[in-house]
Amino acid sequence: PEEVSKIDCHRSKISQVLTNIIANAGDALQEKTDKSKERGNHFKGKISIILEKKQVSESDGLIIVIADNGDGVSDALKEKIFDQFYTSKPAGKGTGLGLSMCNDIAREHGGTLSVSDDPLLKGARFELWLPLNQIP
């Protein structure tokens, strides 16, 4: 595998973003597992994490892709998933750090956070791109 470069970042903030996305994936997989059990089916959840070099707008950076084989994110939800105070979880559930905050952290680092459908696992795919050289 190709070696990826180190980046300067607020490690604890990026850790929060990754933890939140992975926790959300885990929650989605648990929901799908529970639905499958109710129907008498067996479901094996999968989460994929990939780290690669990626250039965006002529800026070198790293992309962290977190994907799962859950039910994915509907198109209607994709439009509001990064809105402040939005949650699809009931009160008292989740990490307390929403995707709006994750998006803000990505922007603070000069990066981006996006959601799409994963072509391989067929669930949600979150892509966090961070530039190698931070914008001050």
Side-chain angles (χ1 to χ4, degrees):
E2 185 179 0
E3 177 121 356
V4 294
S5 303
K6 291 183 179 182
I7 61 170
D8 291 322
C9 66
H10 296 281
R11 187 182 62 165
S12 62
K13 287 185 176 186
I14 297 302
S15 176
Q16 286 179 313
V17 172
L18 299 175
T19 298
N20 189 60
I21 294 170
I22 293 168
N24 284 344
D27 291 345
L29 295 179
Q30 186 61 56
E31 287 175 23
K32 190 167 182 177
T33 297
D34 293 346
K35 287 181 202 173
S36 293
K37 282 182 185 176
E38 289 172 8
R39 296 184 195 121
N41 297 327
H42 176 72
F43 168 73
K44 184 175 181 177
K46 296 177 185 172
I47 296 176
S48 168
I49 302 172
I50 300 168
L51 175 65
E52 298 176 325
K53 291 181 181 179
K54 182 176 181 181
Q55 193 174 61
V56 172
S57 301
E58 299 182 22
S59 294
D60 291 330
L62 300 177
I63 189 163
I64 303 165
V65 178
I66 300 172
D68 64 59
N69 65 336
D71 289 330
V73 179
S74 69
D75 288 339
L77 185 56
K78 283 177 191 162
E79 292 189 19
K80 59 185 171 184
I81 200 166
F82 296 116
D83 289 354
Q84 191 172 15
F85 304 118
Y86 178 80
T87 183
S88 61
K89 296 178 183 176
K93 297 287 184 184
T95 62
L97 178 70
L99 291 171
S100 170
M101 182 70 72
C102 293
N103 197 28
D104 290 345
I105 291 170
R107 287 186 189 150
E108 284 175 23
H109 285 79
T112 59
L113 180 63
S114 62
V115 61
S116 61
D117 300 323
D118 189 73
L120 296 175
L121 294 181
K122 307 298 184 200
R125 175 186 182 96
F126 284 85
E127 295 185 1
L128 172 64
W129 180 82
L130 299 169
L132 291 181
N133 299 311
Q134 300 292 307
I135 299 169

